[in-house]
């Protein structure tokens, strides 16, 4: 059932929310910046127009015959100078040497009976200052003032002021801001719809992936099938690899289970036949020996299949690492006690401490234990265990000074249950187990002639970093 909590926790909602938040912030910042930029442009243009008016007044200002400043209104081209409260004003102030100001010595008719309030400030001759203030009827105005020298009147400065109401300019800014806001709102709506479409299109491969997973879960497909974008395809390939690996593990488990179930059938059949014959006179020692042999055979086969199944299930698990030297030295101590009556010397001095096997410790013990045990059984006086690493491979060698094995017989002894000499105790499964375990780890076993003259067994396994 679709709920609000499920929607808000979905990837689509989070992507859409993040996109819309980024769009809203971007549009807000763009609106503020454009509105401020337009206002600045309008006010600069407004100030430039006032500067032209101030220059025109400056050229018209002069002294009459009595030494008083005059400006001929007829020479001023803008009719707003003559219209009361038109929004455009000029005024001439006199500033005495002691700082006293006589405002409105001359002024435009548009000021009517008011003056422009402006505080005294130090102004170099010809310099222009810009002020914001209040004009007639409290209207906001922008004022430009310029210090003008007229004749030679020591201690007297003249200050010419031009002012204009900013209402119309600010109204234009407000209109632009309104149009800009509506435009950005429309643009934001379109971008939001585009973001929604983008999220829907961008996440559509996940719907295909979900459908493919349903097919796998319901057993209609063994792998993820379908066409996916190149950005998603590596994920699909890795997931299919996991599915293939799981299928391989299941197949091996089934095979091992079948082998394990089949292994004790022959010994059990022999025992059953022996039990059926107990009605006839049978020597007790013969029956006991038969039972012991068949039970031992069943145990050997079951042990072999269990070891094989365990390694097949644990094969290629990530992060496995087993130091070689401690395992070898532990096995050497065990074998010295097991074969103590034969006084076999076991040399394991050529073992770099940095070597490690990319697998489980129990598997390495199983392989090396069988090899060292076999070497001790056949050796006359000495067994040598060495190890090295080359190109990411771990190379282990177990050599003895025994009789060795002919080249023709070496392939045969690697087969399960093969024994060349029945006088030496063993089940014939040791080298077969080593070979199978090594191959499960992607390694191999080679039989060679040892430097001591006997048999040398070279075991190649994956090395850990």
């Amino acid at each position: 059932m679709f709920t609000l909590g499920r929607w808000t926790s979905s990837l689509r909602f989070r992507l859409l929310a993040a996109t819309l938040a980024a769009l809203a912030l971007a549009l807000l910042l763009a609106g503020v910046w454009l509105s401020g930029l337009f206002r600045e442009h309008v006010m600069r243009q407004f100030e430039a127009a006032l500067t032209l008016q101030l220059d025109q007044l400056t050229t018209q200002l002069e002294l009459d015959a009595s030494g008083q400043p005059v400006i001929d209104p007829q020479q001023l081209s803008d009719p707003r100078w003559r219209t009361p409260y038109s929004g455009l004003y000029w005024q001439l102030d006199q500033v005495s040497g002691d700082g006293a100001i006589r405002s409105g010595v001359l002024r435009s008719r548009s000021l009517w009976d008011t003056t422009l309030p402006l505080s005294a400030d130090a102004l170099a001759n010809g310099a222009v200052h810009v002020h914001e203030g209040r004009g007639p009827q409290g209207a906001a105005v922008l004022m430009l003032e310029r210090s003008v020298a007229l004749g030679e009147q020591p201690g007297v400065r003249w200050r010419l002021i031009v002012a204009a109401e900013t209402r119309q300019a600010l109204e234009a800014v407000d209109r632009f801001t309104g149009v800009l806001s509506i435009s950005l709102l429309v643009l934001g709506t379109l971008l939001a719809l585009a973001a929604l479409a983008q999220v829907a299109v961008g996440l559509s491969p996940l719907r295909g992936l979900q459908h493919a997973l349903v097919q796998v879960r319901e057993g209609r497909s063994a792998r993820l099938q379908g066409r996916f974008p190149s950005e998603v395809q590596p994920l699909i390939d890795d997931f299919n690899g996991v599915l293939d690996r799981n299928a391989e593990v299941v197949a091996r488990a089934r095979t091992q289970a079948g082998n394990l179930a089949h292994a004790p059938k022959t010994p059990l059949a022999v025992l059953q036949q022996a039990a059926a014959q107990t009605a006839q006179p049978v020597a007790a020692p013969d029956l006991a020996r038969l039972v012991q042999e068949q039970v031992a055979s069943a145990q050997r086969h079951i042990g072999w299949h269990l070891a094989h199944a365990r390694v097949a299930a644990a094969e290629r698990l990530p992060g496995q690492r087993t130091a070689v030297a401690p395992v070898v030295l532990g096995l050497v101590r065990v074998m010295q006690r097991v074969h103590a009556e034969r006084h076999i010397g076991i040399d394991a001095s050529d073992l770099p401490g940095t070597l490690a096997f990319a697998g489980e410790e129990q598997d390495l013990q199983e392989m090396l234990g069988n090899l060292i045990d076999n070497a001790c059984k056949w050796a006359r006086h000495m067994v040598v265990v060495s190890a090295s690493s080359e190109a990411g491979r771990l190379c282990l060698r177990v050599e003895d000074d025994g009789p060795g094995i002919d080249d023709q017989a070496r392939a045969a002894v690697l087969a399960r249950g093969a024994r060349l000499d029945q006088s030496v105790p063993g089940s014939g499964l040791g080298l077969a187990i080593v070979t199978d375990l090594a191959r499960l780890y992607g390694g191999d076993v080679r039989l060679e002639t040892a430097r001591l003259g006997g048999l040398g067994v070279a075991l190649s396994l994956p090395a850990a970093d």
Side-chain angles (χ1 to χ4, degrees):
M1 181 177 179
F2 185 84
T3 62
L4 180 60
R6 181 181 176 183
W7 166 250
T8 56
S9 62
S10 67
L11 177 61
R12 179 183 301 179
F13 171 78
R14 280 181 277 181
L15 288 176
L16 186 59
T19 303
L20 293 181
L23 283 176
L25 180 60
L27 292 176
L28 178 62
L29 294 177
V32 172
W33 178 71
L34 289 175
S35 179
L37 188 65
F38 182 73
R39 186 182 190 281
E40 182 181 0
H41 172 74
V42 169
M43 296 310 295
R44 283 184 179 178
Q45 292 295 106
F46 191 79
E47 183 180 335
L50 277 182
T51 302
L52 291 177
Q53 299 283 9
L54 181 61
D55 292 340
Q56 184 183 19
L57 285 169
T58 303
T59 58
Q60 297 296 326
L61 180 60
E62 57 185 13
L63 295 176
D64 59 9
S66 61
Q68 296 298 317
V70 294
I71 292 179
D72 186 4
Q74 302 301 324
Q75 299 298 322
L76 300 179
S77 59
D78 198 322
R80 289 179 296 173
W81 298 124
R82 297 182 290 274
T83 305
Y85 307 131
S86 63
L88 183 62
Y89 315 103
W90 65 266
Q91 176 178 300
L92 182 66
D93 295 346
Q94 184 182 22
V95 183
S96 60
D98 57 359
I101 299 176
R102 187 160 67 94
S103 298
V105 175
L106 293 176
R107 57 186 174 178
S108 63
R109 182 175 177 80
S110 57
L111 278 173
W112 199 243
D113 56 353
T114 62
T115 58
L116 297 172
L118 197 63
S119 59
D121 52 358
L123 199 63
N125 188 35
V128 177
H129 279 191
V130 180
H131 304 277
E132 291 183 358
R134 293 291 173 178
Q137 300 178 332
V141 295
L142 183 68
M143 294 181 285
L144 273 65
E145 63 165 321
R146 171 182 288 164
S147 178
V148 181
L150 295 177
E152 296 189 8
Q153 297 176 333
V156 176
R157 290 187 302 111
W158 298 95
R159 184 173 63 178
L160 184 59
I161 305 168
V162 173
E165 294 182 4
T166 58
R167 177 177 55 83
Q168 293 182 347
L170 294 179
E171 286 177 353
V173 173
D174 292 339
R175 287 194 298 271
F176 173 80
T177 302
V179 174
L180 178 64
S181 300
I182 296 174
S183 302
L184 291 179
L185 181 62
V186 174
L187 177 61
T189 302
L190 295 177
L191 290 178
L193 294 176
L196 181 60
Q198 182 180 13
V199 170
V201 172
L203 295 180
S204 58
L206 296 184
R207 289 194 292 272
L209 176 58
Q210 181 185 17
H211 177 71
L213 286 173
V214 170
Q215 298 293 318
V216 173
R217 183 187 63 192
E218 295 180 353
R220 291 195 290 266
S221 176
R223 308 175 84 249
L224 295 180
Q225 304 290 341
R227 299 183 60 183
F228 300 95
S230 57
E231 292 80 6
V232 182
Q233 191 60 47
L235 173 64
I236 304 301
D237 295 339
D238 291 342
F239 197 87
N240 281 332
V242 173
L243 293 177
D244 294 340
R245 173 63 183 153
N246 288 341
E248 181 182 351
V249 170
V250 171
R252 286 181 178 176
R254 289 176 177 173
T255 302
Q256 295 304 322
N259 292 338
L260 184 59
H262 181 74
K265 284 185 177 181
T266 300
L268 290 176
V270 174
L271 292 176
Q272 183 180 13
Q273 183 180 8
Q277 296 175 353
T278 54
Q280 301 175 1
V282 178
D286 294 339
L287 179 60
R289 184 170 57 256
L290 176 64
V291 171
Q292 290 176 351
E293 289 177 354
Q294 296 307 316
V295 170
S297 176
Q299 288 177 341
R300 288 195 302 270
H301 285 86
I302 291 174
W304 186 87
H305 285 296
L306 287 177
H308 195 278
R310 177 179 53 78
V311 176
E315 175 199 6
R316 298 184 219 169
L317 289 178
Q320 296 184 113
R321 177 185 177 87
T322 300
V324 173
V327 173
V328 173
L329 296 178
L331 290 172
V332 168
R333 289 191 294 269
V334 172
M335 296 302 168
Q336 285 175 339
R337 289 195 294 268
V338 172
H339 301 279
E341 74 282 356
R342 301 192 61 231
H343 304 289
I344 300 297
I346 304 178
D347 180 13
S349 58
D350 190 13
L351 291 175
T354 58
L355 293 183
F357 164 55
E360 289 190 348
E361 180 178 352
Q362 187 175 355
D363 298 332
L364 184 61
Q365 289 177 342
E366 182 80 19
M367 290 182 282
L368 287 178
N370 277 291
L371 294 181
I372 298 175
D373 184 47
N374 283 340
C376 290
K377 290 176 182 178
W378 292 95
R380 295 188 177 94
H381 305 288
M382 178 63 65
V383 173
V384 176
V385 182
S386 60
S388 62
S389 178
E390 181 179 355
R393 304 295 298 176
L394 178 63
C395 301
L396 300 165
R397 289 183 60 84
V398 179
E399 302 174 276
D400 62 69
D401 59 352
I405 301 177
D406 294 338
D407 294 342
Q408 295 80 4
R410 288 176 182 175
V413 299
L414 295 178
R416 182 171 55 173
R419 298 177 60 190
L420 299 183
D421 190 346
Q422 300 293 331
S423 65
V424 178
S427 63
L429 295 174
L431 285 177
I433 291 177
V434 174
T435 302
D436 284 345
L437 295 184
R439 288 174 180 173
L440 285 173
Y441 278 104
D444 60 5
V445 178
R446 297 191 310 276
L447 302 183
E448 304 170 346
T449 301
R451 289 170 290 184
L452 300 177
L455 178 66
V457 182
L459 176 61
S460 175
L461 296 170
D465 294 334

